[in-house]
Amino acid sequence: MKPTLPQQDLINSTHFCVLVPTYNNHKTLRKVLDSVLDFTPNIIIINDGSTDETSTILKDYSQLTQIHHAKNSGKGMALRNGFKKAIELNFEYAITIDSDGQHFATDIPNFLAEIQKQPDSLLIGSRNMTQENVPKKSSFGNKFSNFWFWFETGIKLDDTQSGFRLYPLRLIPKKYYTNKFEFEIEVIVRSAWKGILVKNIPIQVLYDPTERVSHFRPFKDFTRISILNTVLVLNALLYIKPRDFVRKAKKKGFKRFFLEDILESSDSNFKKAAAIALGIFIGISPFWGFQTVLLLFFATLFKLNKVIAYLSSNVSFPPFIPFVIYGSLKMGSYFVSTDTPLVLDSSVTFDDIQKNATQYIVGSLILASVLALSVGLISYLLLTAFSSKKNK
């Protein structure tokens, strides 16, 4: 299908190329290339060590830029080399399209139209994963990926695994750590961390089981993706989210930020009280060394104010630790009996606590729960009373 006149004007006014990574997709490669050629000759083909008829087919497209890998290096490496070549050729944007025939080149103008509205965005084609012939494992994998992308960036997307995308070449990260399928997760997460707008646009999709060849290896690739997400989550919790918090506070001014975003945030009184309760629970619980990570994880999961939760967790601030330990051991003594009862006075040592570890752990969890509920309830009542008085 040839582009319409308005579409052709859009194509001519946007400095973009199309990257086509391919590996053993000889059944669909020619059809994909011919469909893209209806819209642009600016195509970069990355033959990732194919062992089928791909090399023979590509001889008929010698007018197009081609990159040939001596052996299969993975989709991530193919895209990375494609990006590098596109930048060398001074393109501003790169549209990536899979060579397995599931995408329609007729959607290319839709990417270009959207990038005119919001320049420098990273656009991901959103597929209808409920339609006929879509493998259940693909639908599940996409939902799994969407959840972790949201957790790592705070951005909700309907499709994070589609290979039909538009990248702003000069803005995306320059160095990467992954080479396989997981690269497509790394690049969008790290682009979002850089402040690039990442969003979906609707696209068509065709799943033809007679022609489509998938090189996704469930065990190996899912393991790689899981490891990557573990690293990204830790990075998000320990660096990205604290960094963004400090940046926002500096930009607005710490005093104004505290008053507007914390005390006068749009959260309901219940959610503010819940954040306080979460902080109290984590602060007292026996998760030494992991308290900050757990706090940020659950605050993000339940969409609670992270600053309020963090401030509340300082109930375990060093001067208060002896009282927390004493209270935990005292509470535990009512539920756990030991052969050597612990005398709770100033002579208590860490060696004594180790000998009564079960008593301490049980006691601290019970104490954490009781105090979290109590302080949370009191906070809710005070916040409600304060709000009512302010409204009057």
Side-chain angles (χ1 to χ4, degrees), residues 71-195:
K71 62 179 182 178
N72 180 246
S73 302
K75 188 178 183 182
M77 184 56 71
L79 290 174
R80 289 168 62 174
N81 288 337
F83 290 156
K84 183 178 179 181
K85 180 55 114 177
I87 292 172
E88 288 176 3
L89 296 174
N90 293 316
F91 288 108
E92 186 177 2
Y93 298 104
I95 293 177
T96 60
I97 186 169
D98 291 340
S99 62
D100 59 6
Q102 68 167 296
H103 301 141
F104 291 79
T106 51
D107 281 321
I108 289 176
N110 297 334
F111 281 92
L112 302 181
E114 188 63 33
I115 207 65
Q116 303 304 317
K117 300 175 187 176
Q118 294 180 302
D120 299 331
S121 302
L122 194 163
L123 307 178
I124 303 174
S126 179
R127 303 161 293 176
N128 179 5
M129 301 300 288
T130 62
Q131 71 181 51
E132 189 179 0
N133 292 329
V134 175
K136 290 185 178 179
K137 63 181 181 180
S138 295
S139 180
F140 169 78
N142 194 45
K143 290 178 181 177
F144 180 84
S145 178
N146 294 348
F147 169 79
W148 286 114
F149 179 77
W150 163 76
F151 187 84
E152 291 152 5
T153 67
I155 301 170
K156 282 193 173 184
L157 294 180
D158 296 321
D159 192 345
T160 53
Q161 291 195 319
S162 170
F164 204 176
R165 304 178 176 189
L166 182 148
Y167 292 93
L169 291 169
R170 306 288 175 181
L171 299 179
I172 58 175
K174 300 297 185 290
K175 294 182 179 180
Y176 302 94
Y177 308 108
T178 55
N179 298 329
K180 307 291 184 180
F181 280 102
E182 68 273 18
F183 169 82
E184 290 185 300
I185 297 172
E186 180 191 357
V187 66
I188 60 173
V189 170
R190 292 182 56 205
S191 293
W193 286 349
K194 285 191 67 178

Side-chain angles (χ1 to χ4, degrees), residues 25-38 57 61 97-105 206 208 210-212:
N25 283 122
H26 69 278
K27 291 182 180 180
T28 52
L29 179 59
R30 191 182 296 276
K31 180 175 67 175
V32 171
L33 293 175
D34 289 343
S35 66
V36 175
L37 279 169
D38 284 339
I57 294 171
Y61 298 89
I97 186 169
D98 291 340
S99 62
D100 59 6
Q102 68 167 296
H103 301 141
F104 291 79
L206 172 67
D208 186 345
T210 63
E211 288 193 340
R212 183 171 182 267

